[in-house]
């Protein structure tokens, strides 16, 4: 496990169609933290994660990894950094035609040399491990099923198993439990918490389940309309914070306010 | 609202522009539907001559068919494997270095511009007469086409899983093999088998390398007006195409995991296919370097490198410019007409939209359309419309229907039907459901298939030449026959530039749409 | 005033040269024809001239009536003679060797064009610089008869099976002597053009090629440069066989065309071509076909050709 | 609004790969009910919805619509029935390349005659209405954006707007708020409740958010492993019911049991 220090400095992201998804975001995460990003739909959470894992480039600002700006890092090191990071995508990003097991195994490709990697010769050790992980997320029997035949939650769990297969130092989890029932969801979060505590993995999560986010994280970052509006521990969350994060007209779900909302 | 109506106007403008272009080309190539209708009785008189087929002739076809298949199998396999390896570096949606992409695309562009006959000639001058030279030519030809088709598929496929692997630090090539290839594999294998089929059908070049191929036999029987025998050859071709087509469908379904096969049988199948490849390869005649004709090769290439500039820049009636314009018009009109027929045909050609029996019948029809070589179409249409560009347009339309329907069907088989099914579940009639649930997804794919076929049609101008349809084909063939390589070089350069230009335009078009 | 109006006259040319050379060269023909025909009482409104790239294509067009007259080869004419008939036979300049004994051709000089017009030409078997080729040539020059085995051992460069000088007549020659044709040869390779045959011959890939007789007249200067010969063509090649006379190309008319059904119009059209061919302008035009004039043709001239084809087909 | 009575009798569903997704399911729904299906991931909820809207056929058993078995209904009537039903899909099933607005408008295609439908001439009235709906789900500004550029939650809201555009008598909502933040999620459910109450629409929902399901529904159906294990009012839900629905090892999320779960 190589510890990673992540600093985000004043990043902006505007898409080609002039939608500004993120504006002046700065925060830093130290190794071993469990941080949750929360915010309304369209706030820019997924975009933030995609910037962090390098799928998109930011328009302004910079991301520092162990104090080096990401764009200046030499290729070899960047690869190393990427190897230590894995992402659970909101839309899963699985290979639909491949089986569950194959998808999980692809996570070991970065550690393999070229030809075995191309030919997909994973070896028994890796396969064993992938099967174990699949069992842990409750997909042991779907091992050989092509991903396109899985239910929403099963796909999500495959994506989770793939991310964990990497044994990352930094785990970016974009809505990892959105499609899971409360019990499985809780189990998955416990699993994440577990690896965070035991192995010191940094977890940056993003979830619409406020309760679970508060329960499992050390720290919450509130995003609204592309800006950080809150950054603090779960204890600091209160009605007015919720209102700043989710918008003014919002009804605090903490209070379980059951009266109808004028939409 | 303003933005939406603006979009609609833009769409309408594009459509009108397209229509105008089409009308211009139709007029320029002297297309005359009235004449076509008046002389339609001649459409069938050549075909009817093929019945009853001369079954006794079939045994004569088998040896050339074997040679053809032998060379085609080896060439197609090697060419496709090379394509599979190099295609990702050409795809814009992947993060391979840009310069590699440009260099490779350029090379492939050039390679594809060379008529197969020139490749075959080069190969024989280098390796001597024999199956090796033929295989070499087929390999190059297949490689160029397969690379193009494959990177096009890649650009249409969703890159999400590939990107996910890349962010984990997987190197490009393994990420491509495991993250993207499984998604395009069905169409990759159908394309490869389609190439095999094309190579078997258009194997006339194989005759010129001393291997007899079924194409030469066909040319001979056509020229001698022995239509019963032509019929027999076509029947054999039909069966070959039918077999390959079904094999490819089955393979695609297997890859998409739509049907399953026991591990044991998969191994058996793999073993059988490998064995076939190995047998075909080791029975090839070894190259004969003792009789290479380097001087001729040198002439050929120095000719290509110093093209005939006065011809190149000539604006006269027999200059390059007029010829290319004519070729462009024939190719455009032919491709558009082909497309108009293929789109509906492709929908009834797949089990996803129509019942199995209907799909089967149309599939037979399309296989039949495809197994008839362009020469026969040329002759059929020449009887109707006489020599001239109109015949070229008609012939190209028919040839285009084969490939276009195949590619469209493939795109339809690969596409995500979720949205379409959602519309059906709301009670939308299937036709509007296709228009709004599927076409928007397919539009970019269809457009790129259309543009691809357009570009193939321009390059296959030599085909046009063979049916006497004007354009650049005849001068190209003629200068090749005369070994006037400077002139051939000028024509090829013109073609390369033209196709490059079209490529640029098509990239722009894909951007806009 | 009393001129008969003909809507359009569709002329199809076989690809004697590349189509645009033909198109450009024949452009003036339209007006010449219209004028000459008008003098003979026919007002032709439109003369439609197109070039088909394959001989068969032009034959098909004539046979279906999508062309009224066509410039085609004798071999092709025979194939389609059910649906078309000969109008004129073309004249060409001959060459200075016309013997059917190959020894006479190997006198150390390249054949030359003469000024005599002729209605026929011949095809030759040309042996190349390869060991095998030279051995065969020596045998012939020594007055020995070649055996079938001699020929069958060699590699042949031949043309497509409808080519008169590149396939049909040579095949006939073999049939008459050995009872076997080109298709019985073990090593016959079809070339896409005579030039490819020459390149193969020069490199030794082929030992024998078959071609029209004036091939050396045309390509001897290029032998070393273009085809990679190591010495002059006349030193490296020799004739080992000469075929029968092959009748020249011709102008045929379609029997299915309504325009051509009129006997008087045919007469007028034929006369016009003969007349035009005698003018300077006309000579220029038809020189792209390597033709120098026309004579009234007769179907029976092509009986030899018919015979040849029949033999070839039955032999299969 | 044509009332629909839906009866499901002993249906079974087995997929080609011999996975049995549903076994012997029977229940009926009367017009105007708000029913939630709950169950663990992979229980067969989505499959059930797909059988109901006719995307898949059941292997055994039958679905009765107004007492007629679905397969016997003549085509015209079936179309009619489908027209009165709309579905919000778990995986959205939107046309990714078309804009948000176009996607919503496609819901009006069944009411249009053939040629306008093919050409997509929706007219201003329909467009107005679609825009209104988009505003209600908070997507007014994304109207012209192609769906592929939207965030997860925005896609989901587009799918909801499309389903509502139909003004159905039966709304099948498969995880309609999985990708939405708590506030927006609540607003959307209120909207559904609203149309259920005002227009008498039958809503059959499926959500992993137990709390909201209980709050909004009249009735809950618990599915586990393809079988119905519970069918009753939200008041009847208790720990042991939760345990039967979500599996034995489950920790009841109702109790907000925060201790770690042995996974
Ligand atoms: N490729 C893109 N092109 C244009 N705009 C985009 C693109 N991707 C995202 N956006 C826009 O950027 C904004 C932020 O999107 P993002 O996906 O980050 O939201 P999110 O916080 O993840 O929302 P959700 O909770 O719904 O997933 C949205 O308004 C979205 O429409
Ligand atoms: N097309 C298919 N082919 C084979 N098996 C399938 C297919 N679709 C679903 N299944 C299987 O059927 C079972 C039920 O799937 P379904 O999608 O109905 O679950 P679900 O209850 O919706 O789960 P989730 O809450 O995760 O969405 C799963 O085990 C799934 O793997
Ligand atoms: Mg998101
Ligand atoms: Mg589901």
């Amino acid at each position: 496990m190589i510890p990673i220090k992540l600093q985000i400095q004043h990043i902006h992201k505007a898409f080609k169609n002039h939608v500004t998804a993120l504006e002046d975001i700065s925060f830093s995460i130290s190794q071993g933290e469990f941080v949750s990003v929360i915010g309304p739909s369209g706030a820019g959470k997924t975009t933030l994660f995609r910037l962090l894992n390098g799928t998109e480039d930011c328009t302004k600002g910079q991301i520092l990894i162990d104090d080096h700006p990401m764009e200046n890092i030499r290729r070899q090191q960047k690869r190393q950094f990427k190897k230590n990071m894995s992402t659970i995508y909101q839309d899963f990003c699985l290979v639909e035609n491949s089986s569950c097991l194959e998808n999980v195994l692809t996570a070991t490709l970065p550690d393999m040399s070229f030809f075995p990697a191309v030919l997909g010769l994973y070896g028994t050790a890796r396969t064993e491990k992938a099967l174990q992980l699949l069992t842990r997320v409750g997909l042991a029997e779907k091992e050989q099923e092509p991903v396109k035949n899985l239910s929403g939650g099963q796909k999500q769990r495959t994506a989770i198993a793939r991310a964990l297969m990497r044994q990352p130092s930094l785990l970016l989890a974009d809505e990892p439990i959105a499609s899971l029932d409360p019990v499985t969801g809780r189990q998955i979060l416990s699993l994440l918490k577990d690896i965070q505590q035991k192995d010191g993995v940094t977890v940056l999560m993003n979830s619409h389940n406020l309760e679970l986010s508060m329960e499992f994280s050390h720290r919450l970052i509130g995003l609204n309309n592309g800006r950080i509006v809150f950054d603090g521990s779960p204890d600091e969350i209160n009605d007015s914070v919720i209102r700043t994060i989710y918008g003014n007209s919002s009804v605090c779900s903490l209070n379980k306010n059951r009266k109808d909302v004028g939409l | 609202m303003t933005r939406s109506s603006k979009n609609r106007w833009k769409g309408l403008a594009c459509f009108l522009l397209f229509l105008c272009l089409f009308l211009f080309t139709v007029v320029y190539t002297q297309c005359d539907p009235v004449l076509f209708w008046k002389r339609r009785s001649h459409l069938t008189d050549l075909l009817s001559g093929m019945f009853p087929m001369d079954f006794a002739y079939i045994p004569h076809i088998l040896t050339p068919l074997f040679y053809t298949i032998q060379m085609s199998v080896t060439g197609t396999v090697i060419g496709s494997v090379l394509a599979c390896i190099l295609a990702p570096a050409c795809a814009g949606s992947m993060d391979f270095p840009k310069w590699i992409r440009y260099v490779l695309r350029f090379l492939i562009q050039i390679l594809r511009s060379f008529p197969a006959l020139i490749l075959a000639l080069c190969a024989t001058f280098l390796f001597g007469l024999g199956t090796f030279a033929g295989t070499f030519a087929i390999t190059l030809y297949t490689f160029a086409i397969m690379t193009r088709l494959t990177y096009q598929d890649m650009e249409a496929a969703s890159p999400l899983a590939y990107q996910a692997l890349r962010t984990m630090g997987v190197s490009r090539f393994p990420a491509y093999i495991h993250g993207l290839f499984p998604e395009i594999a069905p169409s990759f294998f159908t394309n490869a088998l389609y190439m095999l089929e094309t190579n078997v059908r258009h194997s006339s070049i194989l005759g010129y390398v001393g291997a007899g191929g079924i194409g030469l036999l066909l040319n001979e029987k056509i020229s001698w007006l022995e239509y019963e025998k032509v019929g027999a050859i076509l029947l054999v071709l039909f069966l070959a195409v039918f077999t390959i087509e079904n094999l490819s469908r089955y393979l695609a379904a297997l890859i998409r995991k739509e049907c399953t096969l026991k591990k044991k049988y998969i191994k058996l199948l793999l073993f059988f296919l490998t064995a076939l490849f190995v047998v075909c390869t080791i029975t090839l005649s070894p190259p004969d370097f003792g009789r290479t004709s380097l001087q001729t090769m040198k002439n050929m290439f120095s000719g290509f490198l110093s093209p005939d500039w006065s011809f190149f820049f000539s604006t006269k009636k027999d200059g390059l410019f007029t010829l290319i314009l004519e070729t462009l018009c024939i190719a455009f009109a032919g491709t558009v007409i082909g497309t108009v027929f293929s789109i509906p045909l492709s929908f009834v050609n797949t089990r996803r939209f129509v019942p199995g029996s209907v799909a089967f019948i149309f599939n037979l029809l399309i296989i039949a359309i495809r197994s008839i070589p362009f020469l026969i179409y040329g002759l059929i249409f020449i009887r109707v419309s006489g020599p001239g560009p109109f015949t070229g347009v008609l012939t190209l339309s028919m040839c285009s229907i084969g490939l276009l329907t195949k590619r469209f069907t493939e795109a339809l088989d690969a596409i995500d039907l979720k949205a379409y099914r959602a519309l059906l579940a709301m009670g939308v009639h299937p036709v509007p459901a296709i228009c709004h649930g599927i076409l928007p997804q397919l539009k970019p794919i269809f457009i790129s298939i259309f543009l691809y076929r357009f570009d193939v049609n321009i390059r296959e101008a030599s085909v046009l030449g063979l049916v006497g349809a004007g354009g650049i084909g005849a001068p190209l063939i003629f200068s090749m026959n005369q070994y006037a390589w400077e002139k051939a070089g000028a024509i090829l350069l013109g073609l390369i530039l033209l196709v490059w230009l079209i490529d640029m335009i098509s990239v722009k078009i894909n951007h806009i749409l | 005033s009393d001129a008969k109006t003909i809507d359009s006259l569709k002329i199809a040319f076989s690809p004697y040269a590349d189509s645009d050379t033909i198109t450009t060269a024949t452009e003036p023909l339209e007006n010449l024809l219209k004028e000459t025909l008008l003098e003979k009482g026919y007002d032709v409104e439109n003369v439609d001239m197109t070039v088909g790239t394959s001989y068969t294509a032009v034959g098909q067009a004539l046979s279906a009536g999508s062309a009224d007259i066509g410039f085609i080869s004798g071999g092709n004419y025979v194939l389609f003679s059910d649906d078309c008939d000969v109008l004129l036979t073309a004249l060409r300049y001959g060459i200075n060797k016309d013997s059917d004994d190959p020894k006479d051709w190997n006198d150390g000089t390249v054949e030359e064009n003469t000024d005599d017009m002729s209605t026929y030409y011949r095809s030759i078997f040309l042996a190349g610089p390869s060991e095998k080729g030279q051995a065969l040539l020596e045998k012939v020059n020594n007055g020995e008869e070649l055996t079938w085995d001699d020929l069958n051992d060699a590699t042949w460069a031949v043309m497509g099976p409808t080519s008169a000088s590149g396939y049909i007549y040579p095949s006939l020659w073999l049939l008459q002597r050995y009872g076997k044709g080109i298709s019985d040869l073990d090593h016959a390779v079809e070339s896409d053009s005579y030039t490819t045959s020459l390149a193969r011959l020069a490199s030794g890939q082929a030992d024998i090629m078959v071609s029209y007789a004036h091939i050396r007249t045309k390509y001897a200067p290029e032998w070393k440069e273009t085809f990679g010969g190591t010495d002059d063509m006349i030193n490296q090649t020799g004739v080992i066989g000469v075929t029968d006379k092959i009748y020249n190309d011709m102008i045929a008319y379609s029997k299915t065309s309504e325009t051509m059904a009129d006997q008087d119009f045919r007469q007028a059209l034929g006369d016009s071509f003969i007349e035009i061919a005698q003018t300077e302008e006309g000579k220029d035009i038809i020189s792209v076909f390597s033709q120098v004039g026309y004579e009234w043709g007769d179907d029976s001239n092509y009986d030899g050709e018919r015979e040849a084809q029949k033999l070839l087909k039955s032999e299969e």
Side-chain angles (χ1 to χ4, degrees), chain C residues 93-125:
Chain C
Y93 291 122
I95 52 172
N96 61 356
K97 295 178 193 167
D98 193 29
S99 152
D100 52 13
D101 181 4
K103 256 202 305 197
D104 297 340
W105 294 62
N106 300 328
D107 58 2
T109 62
V110 171
E111 301 74 37
E112 273 167 34
N113 284 324
T114 63
D115 281 340
D116 301 329
M117 290 206 237
S118 95
T119 51
Y120 68 88
Y121 62 105
R122 286 176 192 275
S123 173
I124 55 171
F125 295 65

Side-chain angles (χ1 to χ4, degrees), chain A residues 9 19 82 94 97 127 189 202 213 222-223 227 259 263:
Chain A
Q9 293 181 339
V19 172
K82 283 187 170 180
L94 298 167
N97 276 342
T127 314
L189 282 189
T202 318
S213 301
L223 216 60
R227 294 174 169 279
K259 76 168 196 284
L263 193 77

Side-chain angles (χ1 to χ4, degrees), chain A residues 86-89 91-110 112 117 120 122 126-127 129-131 133-134 137 139 142-151 154-167, chain B residues 158-168 170 174-183 255-257:
Chain A
S86 68
T87 314
I88 301 167
Y89 295 86
D91 48 359
F92 317 142
C93 299
L94 298 167
V95 187
E96 296 268 322
N97 276 342
S98 298
S99 74
C100 205
L101 181 65
E102 277 163 342
N103 266 288
V104 175
L105 279 171
T106 53
T108 63
L109 287 174
M112 294 163 68
Y122 298 103
R126 293 197 176 90
T127 314
K129 187 156 168 253
L131 283 173
L133 262 172
L134 280 178
V137 299
L139 283 181
K142 296 288 174 186
E143 175 214 330
Q144 288 304 331
E145 201 68 36
V147 165
K148 64 177 169 196
N149 282 356
L150 297 183
S151 81
Q154 288 165 343
K155 282 185 191 173
Q156 185 143 45
R157 285 179 281 160
T158 312
I160 292 167
R162 181 177 68 181
L164 297 183
M165 187 75 192
R166 270 242 50 83
Q167 297 189 289
Chain B
S158 154
L160 287 179
Y162 170 80
Q163 280 166 6
L165 290 186
R166 289 289 293 145
T167 58
M168 281 194 286
V170 182
Y176 149 66
I177 291 288
H178 297 284
L180 193 65
F181 192 69
E183 311 283 33
I255 295 166
R256 279 198 204 101
K257 308 224 162 80

